[in-house]
């Protein structure tokens, strides 16, 4: 997931919908100097844009390069309220295709 200060209000609403669905959330903080209070969760791995220049919103894919081993990598937008079983549905769709798809 990627967010920026101007989207804090929508990010604060979206984040609680996502966190229960993931084991870890790589959060790209574009333009932030410190972690927003709402993102102080042990599941969150903060990635600051000052450390990864020029990525902007594409910084939400950075976790896929950082995380080692097999994993399901889902991306999220900071202005969408995802349904409670969004990640489970993505995983099920991927399993139906034996892992040979982008869903």
């Amino acid at each position: 997931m990627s967010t920026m200060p101007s989207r804090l209000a929508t990010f604060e609403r979206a984040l609680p919908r996502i966190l229960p669905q993931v084991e870890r959330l790589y959060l790209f903080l574009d333009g932030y100097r410190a972690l927003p209070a709402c993102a102080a969760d042990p599941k969150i791995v903060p990635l600051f844009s000052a450390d990864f220049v020029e990525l902007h919103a594409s910084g939400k894919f950075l976790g896929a390069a950082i995380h080692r081993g097999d994993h399901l990598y889902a991306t999220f937008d900071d202005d969408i309220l995802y349904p409670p079983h969004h990640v489970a549905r993505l995983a099920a769709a991927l399993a139906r295709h034996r892992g040979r798809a982008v869903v």
Side-chain angles (χ1 to χ4, degrees):
M1 178 180 231
S2 176
T3 193
M4 57 187 159
S6 64
R7 299 189 58 162
L8 181 61
T10 58
F11 170 66
E12 287 176 324
R13 293 186 64 212
L15 186 62
R17 303 285 294 264
I18 295 165
L19 278 180
Q21 300 185 55
V22 299
E23 293 177 16
R24 180 176 302 124
L25 179 68
Y26 290 94
L27 178 60
F28 188 76
L29 296 151
D30 191 10
Y32 279 90
R33 295 183 186 270
L35 187 67
C38 66
D41 187 285
K43 288 183 176 184
I44 295 177
V45 177
L47 305 166
F48 292 92
S49 59
D51 299 322
F52 305 95
V53 182
E54 303 286 327
L55 290 181
H56 303 290
S58 63
K60 69 181 172 184
F61 298 104
L62 187 57
I66 293 171
H67 191 83
R68 299 289 177 228
D70 291 340
H71 59 278
L72 170 64
Y73 194 83
T75 63
F76 304 96
D77 288 328
D78 61 357
D79 60 348
I80 295 176
L81 295 176
Y82 291 89
H85 302 292
H86 180 72
V87 175
R89 284 183 172 170
L90 290 176
L94 187 58
R96 283 193 305 274
H97 295 281
R98 297 185 185 104
R100 297 179 183 196
V102 175
V103 296

